[in-house]
Amino acid sequence: MAKKAKKQQPGGTPATVALTAAGVAFTVHSYDHDPSHPSYGEEAAEATGVSPDRVFKTLVADVDGALTVAVVPVAGQLDLKALAAAVGGKRAAMADPALAERVTGYVRGGISPLGQRRKLPTVLDDSAARHETICVSAGRRGLEVELAPDDLAKLTQAVLAPVGRA
């Protein structure tokens, strides 16, 4: 059976469409993605001129057999033990990248916490609350969306917890 294509606004991604539909204020930052750059997140911070502590990466982990999204600053790393604890789990490991792509509907380096194909439990690093706005992937490489962390948490039903580490 053929899959039904999602209808999108011209130039929009599922993430920007979701933000628009929710009436959330956001700014899109676009840049030319360099496939040779060693870090998608650091590239986004450099290209947009936004401090790396305000640019957050979206990671998909397996917590006790359930896929879970973690949103942490690109300047740091995900603390898998803290992520498991934040969702009441015992063990966490990074999810297989192909599975993460299939479940979210996005490609690695462009996975957004917004507009995912399947809604996953989400944990936003509590450092986000220190900023008026943060940037996350808008759903493709070379495209970031800047929004208030409260709006991101509300739209993704995220738990705020200290899951990032320097």
Side-chain angles (χ1 to χ4, degrees), residues 2-143:
K3 287 187 179 181
K4 216 175 182 182
K6 280 188 180 179
K7 205 165 191 167
Q8 293 184 25
Q9 296 172 350
T13 66
T16 59
V17 170
L19 287 166
T20 301
V24 170
F26 66 96
T27 303
V28 173
H29 299 277
S30 181
Y31 60 93
D32 291 327
H33 166 63
D34 175 3
S36 68
H37 199 288
S39 166
Y40 296 115
E42 288 173 14
E43 177 191 26
E46 292 166 10
T48 60
V50 176
S51 172
D53 65 330
R54 285 187 45 234
V55 177
F56 283 62
K57 56 189 169 187
T58 306
L59 303 169
V60 181
D62 179 316
V63 179
D64 297 337
L67 292 181
T68 304
V69 171
V71 185
V72 297
V74 301
Q77 295 179 341
L78 172 62
D79 182 333
L80 289 166
K81 285 183 183 181
L83 176 64
V87 295
K90 292 181 182 174
R91 290 193 94 147
M94 293 307 298
D96 174 69
L99 177 61
E101 288 180 345
R102 195 167 50 252
V103 171
T104 63
Y106 293 118
V107 297
R108 204 171 114 221
I111 294 178
S112 178
L114 299 156
Q116 295 178 358
R117 184 177 287 152
R118 187 169 110 205
K119 192 166 183 57
L120 299 172
T122 302
V123 180
L124 175 60
D125 185 66
D126 63 356
S127 68
R130 291 186 223 135
H131 306 287
E132 191 175 313
T133 61
I134 61 170
C135 292
V136 296
S137 176
R140 81 174 161 248
R141 296 171 186 155
L143 197 65

